[in-house]
Amino acid sequence: MMEVNFKINIKQRIRRIICFTLIIFFAFLVRMERAQVYAVQNPGAGSQMAGTDNPGTTALPAAQQPIITQLTSTGRTVKLTVNLMKDSQVSSGRIKIHYPQEYLSLADAQTGKLWQLEDVNKQLLEEGQNVVAFAWAGTEKFAGEGNLLTVTWEALDAASGKEITVETEIVELYSQKERLEVKSDWIIDRIRPSFPISTGNSTSAVRTGDNSNAAALGILCLGSALLMARMIRKKLWY
């Protein structure tokens, strides 16, 4: 009689373990699904703030920020536009665009041709990160508005579904001989591009941190738990 009760208790414990494992697994899948839906509905949350996603600071009104940026993506094409606001009184300056080379490959960088002297350096490397630098100079204070620089990248396979951060550093701005002070000298834009990945690229075979790998890991853990519970049950029951 004691042996029968012992087996019944073991059986009940195994059932509880299986139920608990299933609950954890389904909670895990629900969380991954919510994260994926958020990524689809908010592909570039940071870029919608006109480049004012600067940690520890508040978004400035457009009239107080001489330079604004916008980061967009279409398929594999990721584009950053850097614009000068109206009535900025800027006559010369220098900016740097920092981007992650593990996700983006530089395709082009074109100036807006607003200035008498312009120079673009597409091959800078600072602290292990690729940088596009742009400097310009004019004799008069610029009262209009227009495009300073447009940078275009091709997103690599590893970038699909990942949050990409591009940082625009305002190194210096001058209104003739007077240096202009800006509250936000670093403008941070974020976007999450999404596109089909080439099956023949070895990079796509190892995609760490995305939802598909997380779900696969969850299924593997569930299968292992169920197999272990079945082996324990079989061993103790017989």
Side-chain angles (χ1 to χ4, degrees):
M1 186 66 178
M2 292 182 61
E3 184 178 355
V4 174
N5 290 336
F6 175 75
K7 290 183 177 180
I8 292 176
N9 290 336
I10 292 297
K11 188 175 181 180
Q12 290 177 345
R13 290 181 181 179
I14 292 175
R15 286 178 177 174
R16 290 174 183 173
I17 292 174
I18 293 174
C19 290
F20 179 76
T21 304
L22 287 173
I23 291 173
I24 295 298
F25 173 69
F26 284 122
F28 175 81
L29 286 184
V30 169
R31 184 173 182 180
M32 289 298 100
E33 183 67 21
R34 288 180 178 177
Q36 187 174 16
V37 170
Y38 176 80
V40 172
Q41 294 179 346
N42 301 271
S47 64
Q48 302 303 317
M49 297 297 293
T52 55
D53 187 11
N54 209 0
T57 65
T58 57
L60 294 174
Q64 298 181 33
Q65 181 72 349
I67 291 178
I68 62 170
T69 63
Q70 184 177 23
L71 187 65
T72 59
S73 69
T74 304
R76 285 183 176 268
T77 301
V78 177
K79 182 179 294 186
L80 178 75
T81 56
V82 184
N83 292 330
L84 190 65
M85 296 299 293
K86 187 176 181 179
D87 241 1
S88 64
Q89 302 300 309
V90 171
S91 60
S92 62
R94 184 161 57 101
I95 61 173
K96 294 180 181 179
I97 312 298
H98 303 255
Y99 65 94
Q101 63 270 22
E102 66 270 23
Y103 292 139
L104 301 176
S105 175
L106 182 64
D108 195 16
Q110 293 289 336
T111 70
K113 302 187 183 304
L114 300 177
W115 311 95
Q116 298 172 346
L117 296 175
E118 294 182 334
D119 179 67
V120 180
N121 191 332
K122 306 176 184 179
Q123 298 180 340
L124 281 182
L125 185 65
E126 293 185 359
E127 299 180 356
Q129 191 175 37
N130 287 354
V131 176
V132 175
F134 173 53
W136 70 93
T139 56
E140 302 293 334
K141 298 179 181 181
F142 192 75
E145 59 183 338
N147 175 252
L148 279 177
L149 182 69
T150 300
V151 184
T152 306
W153 298 272
E154 180 183 0
L156 305 177
D157 282 353
S160 182
K162 302 292 180 62
E163 185 177 76
I164 308 299
T165 300
V166 175
E167 302 179 16
T168 302
E169 178 188 1
I170 303 176
V171 181
E172 54 188 354
L173 290 178
Y174 284 91
S175 180
Q176 292 184 337
K177 295 182 179 182
E178 179 184 357
R179 181 162 184 164
L180 299 177
E181 297 294 331
V182 293
K183 293 183 179 180
S184 299
D185 52 358
W186 282 83
I187 306 174
I188 301 176
D189 291 282
R190 296 183 176 92
I191 202 166
R192 193 184 298 269
S194 180
F195 50 85
I197 295 179
S198 306
T199 55
N201 195 321
S202 59
T203 306
S204 62
V206 184
R207 295 174 58 201
T208 58
D210 61 3
N211 292 335
S212 59
N213 277 0
L217 180 60
I219 293 173
L220 180 62
C221 292
L222 175 63
S224 300
L226 292 177
L227 180 61
M228 184 177 298
R230 185 175 180 182
M231 293 175 61
I232 294 174
R233 178 182 176 184
K234 184 175 181 180
K235 182 177 180 180
L236 296 176
W237 191 259
Y238 293 102

